[in-house]
Amino acid sequence: MSPRRARRRESSRPFGFPTGLDKVEEWPDGEWKVRMLTGASSTKNYRCPGCDQEIRSGQPHVVAWPNWPGGDEERRHWHPACWRKRLDRGPGRSRY
C-alpha cells in the first residue's frame, strides 16, 4: 500500500496578500513595527534607505516604521539584509 499524500487546502486570501501581521521588534535604536512583504504584493519600485539601491516591484522586502503615534508617516521599504545591518552603518547616514 502506498502512503497517502497530504492535500493542500486552498487559501481564501488573494495571491500576494501579506502572509503575516505587523510585528513589533525591539532594537537598540527603539521599537519598530515591521512587515515582511512578498514580491507579489509590491507593484512599484522603492529606494532602500540602507544601501540607496532600488527595490524593484515584485521583489520581497521589509517595510518598517517607528512604533510611536504618528510613526506610520515614517514608513520605509528596506532590503531584508539592509534592515538587519542598519545599525552597523557609519556616520552620515540616517537611521531610517
Side-chain angles (χ1 to χ4, degrees):
M1 181 164 51
S2 62
R4 290 176 49 176
R5 295 181 75 171
R7 295 183 190 197
R8 292 185 182 184
R9 289 195 285 173
E10 294 296 321
S11 175
S12 62
R13 294 185 294 184
F15 183 70
F17 191 81
T19 56
L21 300 174
D22 302 338
K23 62 181 180 176
V24 176
E25 294 183 3
E26 290 187 37
W27 288 77
D29 60 346
E31 284 188 356
W32 296 85
K33 286 188 181 179
V34 178
R35 179 185 301 159
M36 297 294 295
L37 295 179
T38 63
S41 63
S42 61
T43 58
K44 64 183 212 176
N45 297 340
Y46 298 98
R47 179 79 49 188
C48 175
C51 64
D52 203 33
Q53 299 297 313
E54 193 173 74
I55 301 172
R56 297 189 181 272
S57 64
Q59 185 177 8
H61 63 280
V62 174
V63 179
W65 61 97
N67 188 24
W68 63 59
D72 54 343
E73 303 285 328
E74 303 293 326
R75 287 189 320 171
R76 299 291 182 265
H77 296 254
W78 297 75
H79 292 109
C82 295
W83 171 249
R84 290 188 305 268
K85 301 288 286 176
R86 76 185 186 287
L87 298 178
D88 296 339
R89 288 185 292 173
R93 301 289 300 257
S94 68
R95 291 188 328 199
Y96 56 92

